[in-house]
Amino acid sequence: DAIAVLRQLLDLLGGRKVKCTFYVIGRNVETYPEIARRIVSEGHEIANHTWSHPALTSIGAGRLNQEIEKTSASIQRVTGRRPTNMRPPYGAINDRVRQAIFRDHGLDVIMWSCDPLDWKRPGAEVGRQRLVNGATPGGILLAHDIHPGTIEAVPGAIRDLKAKGYGFATVSQLLALQENPSRPSQVAPVAQEEATAVR
């Protein structure tokens, strides 16, 4: 069950004091509001991943607007937080979509620097290796919280990344570090070199 897997991930992250950004699908926020509230209450960032996970480059302006706004409104209603960034499903983005998202919704479009292809279910050990080997200072690691193998990879990946000197931050904390490098007081102390973004 995907929700049991997600609860397990939140337990793992909490035990290791690691904060992530969760890109959530709006209809799931409506179905599982307690999970959305837990994400926020435990210090993670919650962000927009559309209402129903369409490829945004293949839909018109009206549906695009609905997919983004309905999700942001749901997140705000359930958690009290308005998202500040979003991730396009499948990474499908073009200038039209990016400009509309920023202009009409004020959201930054966030991609990733490391994709372990965990949706292909390569197994926990391969997933761990890909996350660790793909990490770079200021990078964003993509992972899907619905696959048990990904969750199994998380403890080892965190251990190995910490051993390499990486820290963890939400995407917004990472952006704040890059935009205001001389103003670290604007960022929570956990923000260091590496953001882990979980979709």
Short mmCIF file of all heavy atoms in Angstrom, two decimals, residues 75-140:
data_model
loop_
_atom_site.label_atom_id
_atom_site.label_comp_id
_atom_site.label_asym_id
_atom_site.label_seq_id
_atom_site.Cartn_x
_atom_site.Cartn_y
_atom_site.Cartn_z
N ILE A 75 -3.67 22.14 -1.26
CA ILE A 75 -2.55 22.10 -0.32
C ILE A 75 -2.72 23.18 0.74
O ILE A 75 -2.54 22.92 1.94
CB ILE A 75 -1.20 22.27 -1.07
CG1 ILE A 75 -0.92 21.03 -1.92
CG2 ILE A 75 -0.07 22.52 -0.08
CD1 ILE A 75 0.25 21.20 -2.88
N GLN A 76 -3.09 24.37 0.32
CA GLN A 76 -3.25 25.46 1.28
C GLN A 76 -4.41 25.18 2.25
O GLN A 76 -4.30 25.42 3.45
CB GLN A 76 -3.49 26.78 0.55
CG GLN A 76 -3.53 27.96 1.50
CD GLN A 76 -3.47 29.29 0.78
OE1 GLN A 76 -3.77 29.38 -0.41
NE2 GLN A 76 -3.03 30.32 1.48
N ARG A 77 -5.50 24.67 1.73
CA ARG A 77 -6.66 24.40 2.58
C ARG A 77 -6.34 23.31 3.61
O ARG A 77 -6.71 23.41 4.77
CB ARG A 77 -7.84 23.96 1.71
CG ARG A 77 -9.13 23.74 2.47
CD ARG A 77 -10.31 23.50 1.55
NE ARG A 77 -10.14 22.33 0.69
CZ ARG A 77 -9.85 22.35 -0.61
NH1 ARG A 77 -9.71 23.51 -1.23
NH2 ARG A 77 -9.72 21.25 -1.30
N VAL A 78 -5.62 22.27 3.18
CA VAL A 78 -5.34 21.13 4.06
C VAL A 78 -4.21 21.42 5.04
O VAL A 78 -4.27 21.01 6.20
CB VAL A 78 -5.04 19.88 3.21
CG1 VAL A 78 -4.47 18.75 4.06
CG2 VAL A 78 -6.31 19.41 2.49
N THR A 79 -3.18 22.13 4.59
CA THR A 79 -1.97 22.29 5.42
C THR A 79 -1.76 23.71 5.93
O THR A 79 -0.91 23.92 6.80
CB THR A 79 -0.71 21.90 4.62
OG1 THR A 79 -0.47 22.88 3.60
CG2 THR A 79 -0.84 20.52 4.00
N GLY A 80 -2.43 24.67 5.34
CA GLY A 80 -2.19 26.06 5.70
C GLY A 80 -0.99 26.66 5.00
O GLY A 80 -0.62 27.81 5.26
N ARG A 81 -0.36 25.91 4.11
CA ARG A 81 0.82 26.39 3.37
C ARG A 81 0.49 26.50 1.88
O ARG A 81 -0.07 25.59 1.30
CB ARG A 81 1.99 25.41 3.53
CG ARG A 81 2.42 25.17 4.95
CD ARG A 81 3.32 26.27 5.46
NE ARG A 81 3.61 26.10 6.85
CZ ARG A 81 4.62 25.37 7.32
NH1 ARG A 81 5.42 24.75 6.50
NH2 ARG A 81 4.81 25.28 8.62
N ARG A 82 0.89 27.61 1.30
CA ARG A 82 0.72 27.79 -0.15
C ARG A 82 2.04 27.39 -0.81
O ARG A 82 3.10 27.92 -0.46
CB ARG A 82 0.40 29.25 -0.46
CG ARG A 82 0.13 29.53 -1.92
CD ARG A 82 -1.32 29.32 -2.24
NE ARG A 82 -1.60 29.65 -3.64
CZ ARG A 82 -2.73 29.35 -4.22
NH1 ARG A 82 -3.70 28.75 -3.55
NH2 ARG A 82 -2.93 29.66 -5.49
N PRO A 83 2.03 26.46 -1.76
CA PRO A 83 3.29 26.05 -2.41
C PRO A 83 3.95 27.22 -3.14
O PRO A 83 3.26 28.13 -3.63
CB PRO A 83 2.85 24.99 -3.42
CG PRO A 83 1.48 24.60 -3.04
CD PRO A 83 0.88 25.73 -2.28
N THR A 84 5.27 27.18 -3.19
CA THR A 84 6.02 28.21 -3.90
C THR A 84 6.72 27.66 -5.15
O THR A 84 7.30 28.42 -5.92
CB THR A 84 7.09 28.83 -2.98
OG1 THR A 84 7.98 27.80 -2.55
CG2 THR A 84 6.44 29.51 -1.78
N ASN A 85 6.68 26.35 -5.32
CA ASN A 85 7.29 25.75 -6.51
C ASN A 85 6.53 24.51 -6.93
O ASN A 85 5.69 24.00 -6.19
CB ASN A 85 8.78 25.49 -6.30
CG ASN A 85 9.08 24.50 -5.21
OD1 ASN A 85 8.94 23.29 -5.39
ND2 ASN A 85 9.51 24.99 -4.04
N MET A 86 6.83 24.04 -8.13
CA MET A 86 6.15 22.86 -8.64
C MET A 86 7.11 22.05 -9.52
O MET A 86 8.11 22.57 -9.99
CB MET A 86 4.89 23.25 -9.42
CG MET A 86 5.10 23.96 -10.74
SD MET A 86 5.38 22.87 -12.17
CE MET A 86 3.91 21.85 -12.12
N ARG A 87 6.76 20.80 -9.68
CA ARG A 87 7.51 19.92 -10.58
C ARG A 87 6.55 19.41 -11.63
O ARG A 87 5.49 18.87 -11.29
CB ARG A 87 8.11 18.75 -9.81
CG ARG A 87 8.58 17.64 -10.74
CD ARG A 87 9.56 16.72 -10.08
NE ARG A 87 10.76 17.48 -9.77
CZ ARG A 87 11.54 17.23 -8.74
NH1 ARG A 87 11.25 16.27 -7.91
NH2 ARG A 87 12.62 17.96 -8.53
N PRO A 88 6.88 19.56 -12.91
CA PRO A 88 5.99 19.06 -13.96
C PRO A 88 6.06 17.54 -14.06
O PRO A 88 7.15 16.97 -14.05
CB PRO A 88 6.54 19.72 -15.23
CG PRO A 88 7.96 20.04 -14.93
CD PRO A 88 8.06 20.27 -13.44
N PRO A 89 4.91 16.88 -14.13
CA PRO A 89 4.92 15.42 -14.31
C PRO A 89 5.75 15.01 -15.52
O PRO A 89 5.73 15.70 -16.56
CB PRO A 89 3.44 15.09 -14.53
CG PRO A 89 2.71 16.17 -13.79
CD PRO A 89 3.54 17.41 -14.00
N TYR A 90 6.49 13.95 -15.35
CA TYR A 90 7.37 13.39 -16.40
C TYR A 90 8.49 14.35 -16.81
O TYR A 90 9.21 14.07 -17.76
CB TYR A 90 6.56 13.00 -17.66
CG TYR A 90 5.29 12.28 -17.36
CD1 TYR A 90 4.05 12.91 -17.48
CD2 TYR A 90 5.32 10.95 -16.91
CE1 TYR A 90 2.87 12.24 -17.18
CE2 TYR A 90 4.14 10.27 -16.61
CZ TYR A 90 2.93 10.93 -16.74
OH TYR A 90 1.76 10.26 -16.43
N GLY A 91 8.62 15.47 -16.11
CA GLY A 91 9.60 16.48 -16.52
C GLY A 91 9.21 17.17 -17.81
O GLY A 91 10.04 17.83 -18.43
N ALA A 92 7.94 17.05 -18.22
CA ALA A 92 7.48 17.62 -19.49
C ALA A 92 7.25 19.12 -19.31
O ALA A 92 6.33 19.53 -18.62
CB ALA A 92 6.20 16.93 -19.94
N ILE A 93 8.09 19.92 -19.96
CA ILE A 93 8.02 21.37 -19.80
C ILE A 93 8.47 22.03 -21.10
O ILE A 93 9.29 21.48 -21.83
CB ILE A 93 8.89 21.84 -18.60
CG1 ILE A 93 8.56 23.28 -18.20
CG2 ILE A 93 10.37 21.65 -18.87
CD1 ILE A 93 7.26 23.43 -17.47
N ASN A 94 7.92 23.17 -21.39
CA ASN A 94 8.39 24.00 -22.50
C ASN A 94 8.21 25.46 -22.08
O ASN A 94 7.72 25.74 -20.98
CB ASN A 94 7.67 23.67 -23.81
CG ASN A 94 6.17 23.83 -23.72
OD1 ASN A 94 5.65 24.62 -22.92
ND2 ASN A 94 5.45 23.08 -24.53
N ASP A 95 8.62 26.38 -22.94
CA ASP A 95 8.56 27.80 -22.56
C ASP A 95 7.14 28.26 -22.28
O ASP A 95 6.90 29.01 -21.33
CB ASP A 95 9.19 28.67 -23.64
CG ASP A 95 10.70 28.59 -23.65
OD1 ASP A 95 11.28 28.14 -22.63
OD2 ASP A 95 11.32 28.98 -24.66
N ARG A 96 6.18 27.81 -23.07
CA ARG A 96 4.78 28.21 -22.87
C ARG A 96 4.30 27.82 -21.48
O ARG A 96 3.73 28.62 -20.75
CB ARG A 96 3.89 27.55 -23.93
CG ARG A 96 2.39 27.74 -23.67
CD ARG A 96 1.53 26.94 -24.65
NE ARG A 96 1.59 25.51 -24.45
CZ ARG A 96 0.79 24.82 -23.62
NH1 ARG A 96 -0.13 25.44 -22.90
NH2 ARG A 96 0.90 23.50 -23.53
N VAL A 97 4.54 26.57 -21.12
CA VAL A 97 4.08 26.05 -19.83
C VAL A 97 4.83 26.73 -18.68
O VAL A 97 4.21 27.17 -17.70
CB VAL A 97 4.23 24.52 -19.78
CG1 VAL A 97 3.95 23.99 -18.39
CG2 VAL A 97 3.31 23.87 -20.81
N ARG A 98 6.13 26.83 -18.79
CA ARG A 98 6.94 27.45 -17.73
C ARG A 98 6.49 28.90 -17.48
O ARG A 98 6.31 29.32 -16.34
CB ARG A 98 8.42 27.41 -18.10
CG ARG A 98 9.35 27.88 -16.99
CD ARG A 98 10.79 27.98 -17.46
NE ARG A 98 11.28 26.72 -17.99
CZ ARG A 98 11.84 25.76 -17.25
NH1 ARG A 98 11.96 25.92 -15.95
NH2 ARG A 98 12.28 24.65 -17.81
N GLN A 99 6.31 29.65 -18.55
CA GLN A 99 5.91 31.05 -18.40
C GLN A 99 4.52 31.17 -17.79
O GLN A 99 4.28 32.03 -16.94
CB GLN A 99 5.98 31.76 -19.75
CG GLN A 99 7.40 31.98 -20.22
CD GLN A 99 7.49 32.49 -21.66
OE1 GLN A 99 6.49 32.87 -22.25
NE2 GLN A 99 8.70 32.47 -22.21
N ALA A 100 3.59 30.30 -18.20
CA ALA A 100 2.23 30.34 -17.65
C ALA A 100 2.24 30.01 -16.16
O ALA A 100 1.54 30.65 -15.36
CB ALA A 100 1.33 29.38 -18.41
N ILE A 101 3.02 29.03 -15.78
CA ILE A 101 3.08 28.62 -14.37
C ILE A 101 3.62 29.76 -13.50
O ILE A 101 3.09 30.06 -12.44
CB ILE A 101 3.91 27.34 -14.21
CG1 ILE A 101 3.15 26.15 -14.80
CG2 ILE A 101 4.26 27.09 -12.75
CD1 ILE A 101 3.98 24.89 -14.95
N PHE A 102 4.67 30.41 -13.99
CA PHE A 102 5.24 31.50 -13.21
C PHE A 102 4.35 32.74 -13.24
O PHE A 102 4.07 33.35 -12.22
CB PHE A 102 6.65 31.85 -13.71
CG PHE A 102 7.32 32.89 -12.86
CD1 PHE A 102 7.84 32.54 -11.63
CD2 PHE A 102 7.41 34.20 -13.28
CE1 PHE A 102 8.45 33.49 -10.82
CE2 PHE A 102 8.00 35.16 -12.48
CZ PHE A 102 8.52 34.80 -11.24
N ARG A 103 3.88 33.10 -14.43
CA ARG A 103 3.07 34.32 -14.60
C ARG A 103 1.73 34.21 -13.86
O ARG A 103 1.33 35.12 -13.15
CB ARG A 103 2.83 34.58 -16.08
CG ARG A 103 1.98 35.82 -16.39
CD ARG A 103 1.62 35.89 -17.86
NE ARG A 103 0.71 34.81 -18.22
CZ ARG A 103 0.96 33.90 -19.17
NH1 ARG A 103 2.08 33.96 -19.88
NH2 ARG A 103 0.09 32.95 -19.44
N ASP A 104 1.05 33.10 -14.04
CA ASP A 104 -0.32 32.97 -13.52
C ASP A 104 -0.39 32.43 -12.10
O ASP A 104 -1.39 32.62 -11.42
CB ASP A 104 -1.15 32.07 -14.44
CG ASP A 104 -1.24 32.62 -15.85
OD1 ASP A 104 -1.10 33.85 -16.02
OD2 ASP A 104 -1.45 31.83 -16.79
N HIS A 105 0.67 31.75 -11.65
CA HIS A 105 0.62 31.12 -10.33
C HIS A 105 1.79 31.47 -9.43
O HIS A 105 1.81 31.09 -8.26
CB HIS A 105 0.52 29.59 -10.49
CG HIS A 105 -0.64 29.18 -11.34
ND1 HIS A 105 -1.92 29.11 -10.84
CD2 HIS A 105 -0.72 28.86 -12.65
CE1 HIS A 105 -2.75 28.74 -11.81
NE2 HIS A 105 -2.05 28.60 -12.92
N GLY A 106 2.78 32.17 -9.97
CA GLY A 106 3.93 32.59 -9.17
C GLY A 106 4.79 31.45 -8.67
O GLY A 106 5.49 31.58 -7.66
N LEU A 107 4.75 30.31 -9.37
CA LEU A 107 5.50 29.13 -8.94
C LEU A 107 6.77 28.97 -9.75
O LEU A 107 6.77 29.10 -10.98
CB LEU A 107 4.65 27.87 -9.10
CG LEU A 107 3.38 27.78 -8.27
CD1 LEU A 107 2.59 26.53 -8.63
CD2 LEU A 107 3.70 27.79 -6.79
N ASP A 108 7.87 28.66 -9.06
CA ASP A 108 9.10 28.26 -9.74
C ASP A 108 8.93 26.82 -10.22
O ASP A 108 8.37 25.98 -9.52
CB ASP A 108 10.29 28.31 -8.78
CG ASP A 108 10.66 29.73 -8.38
OD1 ASP A 108 10.67 30.61 -9.27
OD2 ASP A 108 10.93 29.95 -7.19
N VAL A 109 9.41 26.54 -11.42
CA VAL A 109 9.40 25.18 -11.96
C VAL A 109 10.73 24.52 -11.59
O VAL A 109 11.80 25.03 -11.92
CB VAL A 109 9.20 25.18 -13.48
CG1 VAL A 109 9.34 23.77 -14.05
CG2 VAL A 109 7.83 25.76 -13.83
N ILE A 110 10.64 23.40 -10.90
CA ILE A 110 11.83 22.71 -10.38
C ILE A 110 12.00 21.37 -11.07
O ILE A 110 11.08 20.55 -11.11
CB ILE A 110 11.71 22.50 -8.85
CG1 ILE A 110 11.48 23.83 -8.12
CG2 ILE A 110 12.94 21.76 -8.32
CD1 ILE A 110 12.59 24.83 -8.24
N MET A 111 13.19 21.14 -11.58
CA MET A 111 13.51 19.85 -12.18
C MET A 111 14.42 19.09 -11.21
O MET A 111 14.24 19.19 -10.00
CB MET A 111 14.14 20.06 -13.55
CG MET A 111 13.23 20.83 -14.51
SD MET A 111 11.63 20.06 -14.85
CE MET A 111 12.10 18.94 -16.16
N TRP A 112 15.40 18.37 -11.69
CA TRP A 112 16.28 17.61 -10.82
C TRP A 112 17.64 17.47 -11.48
O TRP A 112 17.79 17.69 -12.68
CB TRP A 112 15.69 16.22 -10.54
CG TRP A 112 15.37 15.46 -11.81
CD1 TRP A 112 16.22 14.72 -12.57
CD2 TRP A 112 14.11 15.43 -12.48
NE1 TRP A 112 15.57 14.22 -13.66
CE2 TRP A 112 14.28 14.64 -13.63
CE3 TRP A 112 12.86 15.98 -12.21
CZ2 TRP A 112 13.23 14.38 -14.53
CZ3 TRP A 112 11.83 15.73 -13.10
CH2 TRP A 112 12.01 14.94 -14.23
N SER A 113 18.62 17.12 -10.69
CA SER A 113 19.97 16.91 -11.24
C SER A 113 20.34 15.43 -11.25
O SER A 113 21.29 15.04 -11.92
CB SER A 113 21.00 17.70 -10.43
OG SER A 113 20.94 17.32 -9.07
N CYS A 114 19.60 14.61 -10.50
CA CYS A 114 19.87 13.17 -10.46
C CYS A 114 18.55 12.41 -10.46
O CYS A 114 17.73 12.59 -9.57
CB CYS A 114 20.68 12.81 -9.21
SG CYS A 114 20.85 11.02 -8.95
N ASP A 115 18.37 11.57 -11.47
CA ASP A 115 17.20 10.71 -11.57
C ASP A 115 17.68 9.26 -11.49
O ASP A 115 18.30 8.78 -12.43
CB ASP A 115 16.46 10.96 -12.88
CG ASP A 115 15.22 10.09 -13.04
OD1 ASP A 115 14.96 9.24 -12.16
OD2 ASP A 115 14.52 10.25 -14.05
N PRO A 116 17.40 8.57 -10.39
CA PRO A 116 17.86 7.19 -10.27
C PRO A 116 17.01 6.18 -11.05
O PRO A 116 17.26 4.99 -10.99
CB PRO A 116 17.73 6.93 -8.77
CG PRO A 116 16.58 7.78 -8.34
CD PRO A 116 16.68 9.03 -9.19
N LEU A 117 16.02 6.69 -11.78
CA LEU A 117 15.11 5.83 -12.56
C LEU A 117 14.46 4.78 -11.67
O LEU A 117 14.28 3.63 -12.06
CB LEU A 117 15.85 5.18 -13.74
CG LEU A 117 16.51 6.15 -14.73
CD1 LEU A 117 17.29 5.39 -15.79
CD2 LEU A 117 15.48 7.07 -15.38
N ASP A 118 14.11 5.20 -10.46
CA ASP A 118 13.53 4.25 -9.50
C ASP A 118 12.16 3.76 -9.92
O ASP A 118 11.71 2.70 -9.50
CB ASP A 118 13.49 4.86 -8.09
CG ASP A 118 12.69 6.14 -8.01
OD1 ASP A 118 12.51 6.83 -9.05
OD2 ASP A 118 12.26 6.48 -6.90
N TRP A 119 11.49 4.50 -10.82
CA TRP A 119 10.19 4.05 -11.31
C TRP A 119 10.32 2.80 -12.17
O TRP A 119 9.35 2.07 -12.38
CB TRP A 119 9.48 5.17 -12.09
CG TRP A 119 10.30 5.72 -13.23
CD1 TRP A 119 11.24 6.71 -13.16
CD2 TRP A 119 10.26 5.28 -14.59
NE1 TRP A 119 11.78 6.92 -14.41
CE2 TRP A 119 11.20 6.06 -15.30
CE3 TRP A 119 9.52 4.31 -15.28
CZ2 TRP A 119 11.41 5.89 -16.67
CZ3 TRP A 119 9.74 4.15 -16.64
CH2 TRP A 119 10.68 4.94 -17.32
N LYS A 120 11.54 2.49 -12.60
CA LYS A 120 11.79 1.23 -13.33
C LYS A 120 12.07 0.08 -12.36
O LYS A 120 12.33 -1.03 -12.78
CB LYS A 120 12.97 1.39 -14.29
CG LYS A 120 12.68 2.33 -15.45
CD LYS A 120 13.85 2.33 -16.42
CE LYS A 120 13.55 3.18 -17.65
NZ LYS A 120 14.66 3.16 -18.62
N ARG A 121 12.04 0.40 -11.07
CA ARG A 121 12.24 -0.58 -10.00
C ARG A 121 13.53 -1.40 -10.15
O ARG A 121 13.51 -2.62 -10.25
CB ARG A 121 11.02 -1.51 -9.91
CG ARG A 121 9.75 -0.72 -9.67
CD ARG A 121 8.54 -1.61 -9.62
NE ARG A 121 7.34 -0.79 -9.54
CZ ARG A 121 6.34 -0.99 -8.70
NH1 ARG A 121 6.38 -1.99 -7.86
NH2 ARG A 121 5.29 -0.21 -8.70
N PRO A 122 14.67 -0.71 -10.11
CA PRO A 122 15.95 -1.41 -10.28
C PRO A 122 16.40 -2.16 -9.03
O PRO A 122 17.38 -2.89 -9.08
CB PRO A 122 16.92 -0.27 -10.59
CG PRO A 122 16.35 0.89 -9.83
CD PRO A 122 14.85 0.73 -9.93
N GLY A 123 15.72 -1.96 -7.91
CA GLY A 123 16.13 -2.58 -6.65
C GLY A 123 16.78 -1.56 -5.75
O GLY A 123 17.32 -0.54 -6.20
N ALA A 124 16.73 -1.83 -4.45
CA ALA A 124 17.19 -0.87 -3.45
C ALA A 124 18.68 -0.54 -3.59
O ALA A 124 19.08 0.61 -3.49
CB ALA A 124 16.89 -1.38 -2.05
N GLU A 125 19.49 -1.55 -3.82
CA GLU A 125 20.94 -1.32 -3.86
C GLU A 125 21.34 -0.48 -5.07
O GLU A 125 22.15 0.45 -4.97
CB GLU A 125 21.70 -2.66 -3.87
CG GLU A 125 23.21 -2.53 -3.93
CD GLU A 125 23.81 -1.68 -2.79
OE1 GLU A 125 23.16 -1.51 -1.74
OE2 GLU A 125 24.93 -1.18 -2.97
N VAL A 126 20.75 -0.77 -6.22
CA VAL A 126 21.03 0.04 -7.42
C VAL A 126 20.52 1.46 -7.21
O VAL A 126 21.21 2.43 -7.55
CB VAL A 126 20.39 -0.61 -8.67
CG1 VAL A 126 20.49 0.32 -9.87
CG2 VAL A 126 21.06 -1.95 -8.97
N GLY A 127 19.34 1.58 -6.63
CA GLY A 127 18.80 2.92 -6.35
C GLY A 127 19.70 3.72 -5.44
O GLY A 127 19.95 4.90 -5.67
N ARG A 128 20.20 3.07 -4.38
CA ARG A 128 21.12 3.74 -3.45
C ARG A 128 22.37 4.22 -4.18
O ARG A 128 22.80 5.37 -4.03
CB ARG A 128 21.52 2.79 -2.32
CG ARG A 128 22.47 3.42 -1.30
CD ARG A 128 23.15 2.37 -0.43
NE ARG A 128 24.01 1.49 -1.19
CZ ARG A 128 25.23 1.83 -1.66
NH1 ARG A 128 25.72 3.04 -1.46
NH2 ARG A 128 25.94 0.96 -2.36
N GLN A 129 22.97 3.34 -4.98
CA GLN A 129 24.20 3.70 -5.71
C GLN A 129 23.97 4.87 -6.65
O GLN A 129 24.79 5.78 -6.74
CB GLN A 129 24.71 2.49 -6.49
CG GLN A 129 25.27 1.39 -5.63
CD GLN A 129 25.65 0.16 -6.45
OE1 GLN A 129 25.54 0.14 -7.67
NE2 GLN A 129 26.09 -0.88 -5.76
N ARG A 130 22.84 4.86 -7.34
CA ARG A 130 22.56 5.93 -8.30
C ARG A 130 22.35 7.27 -7.60
O ARG A 130 22.80 8.31 -8.09
CB ARG A 130 21.32 5.58 -9.12
CG ARG A 130 21.57 4.46 -10.12
CD ARG A 130 20.30 4.06 -10.84
NE ARG A 130 20.54 3.02 -11.83
CZ ARG A 130 19.58 2.39 -12.49
NH1 ARG A 130 18.30 2.69 -12.26
NH2 ARG A 130 19.88 1.46 -13.37
N LEU A 131 21.68 7.26 -6.45
CA LEU A 131 21.48 8.50 -5.71
C LEU A 131 22.82 9.04 -5.20
O LEU A 131 23.10 10.24 -5.31
CB LEU A 131 20.52 8.28 -4.54
CG LEU A 131 19.05 8.08 -4.93
CD1 LEU A 131 18.25 7.58 -3.74
CD2 LEU A 131 18.45 9.38 -5.47
N VAL A 132 23.64 8.18 -4.64
CA VAL A 132 24.92 8.61 -4.08
C VAL A 132 25.87 9.07 -5.18
O VAL A 132 26.50 10.13 -5.08
CB VAL A 132 25.55 7.47 -3.23
CG1 VAL A 132 26.96 7.83 -2.79
CG2 VAL A 132 24.67 7.17 -2.02
N ASN A 133 25.96 8.30 -6.25
CA ASN A 133 26.87 8.65 -7.33
C ASN A 133 26.40 9.87 -8.12
O ASN A 133 27.22 10.58 -8.72
CB ASN A 133 27.06 7.46 -8.28
CG ASN A 133 27.77 6.30 -7.61
OD1 ASN A 133 28.48 6.48 -6.63
ND2 ASN A 133 27.56 5.09 -8.12
N GLY A 134 25.10 10.13 -8.12
CA GLY A 134 24.56 11.26 -8.87
C GLY A 134 24.52 12.56 -8.10
O GLY A 134 24.19 13.60 -8.66
N ALA A 135 24.87 12.52 -6.83
CA ALA A 135 24.81 13.72 -6.00
C ALA A 135 25.92 14.70 -6.37
O ALA A 135 27.05 14.30 -6.66
CB ALA A 135 24.93 13.35 -4.53
N THR A 136 25.57 15.98 -6.36
CA THR A 136 26.53 17.05 -6.59
C THR A 136 26.18 18.19 -5.63
O THR A 136 25.03 18.30 -5.19
CB THR A 136 26.44 17.59 -8.04
OG1 THR A 136 25.09 18.00 -8.28
CG2 THR A 136 26.85 16.53 -9.05
N PRO A 137 27.14 19.04 -5.29
CA PRO A 137 26.81 20.19 -4.44
C PRO A 137 25.71 21.04 -5.07
O PRO A 137 25.79 21.40 -6.24
CB PRO A 137 28.13 20.96 -4.35
CG PRO A 137 29.17 19.90 -4.56
CD PRO A 137 28.57 18.96 -5.58
N GLY A 138 24.66 21.30 -4.30
CA GLY A 138 23.54 22.07 -4.81
C GLY A 138 22.58 21.29 -5.68
O GLY A 138 21.67 21.86 -6.28
N GLY A 139 22.77 19.98 -5.75
CA GLY A 139 21.95 19.15 -6.61
C GLY A 139 20.60 18.81 -6.00
O GLY A 139 20.38 18.98 -4.80
N ILE A 140 19.70 18.34 -6.84
CA ILE A 140 18.38 17.89 -6.42
C ILE A 140 18.22 16.44 -6.84
O ILE A 140 18.30 16.11 -8.02
CB ILE A 140 17.27 18.77 -7.04
CG1 ILE A 140 17.40 20.21 -6.53
CG2 ILE A 140 15.89 18.19 -6.71
CD1 ILE A 140 16.41 21.17 -7.15
#
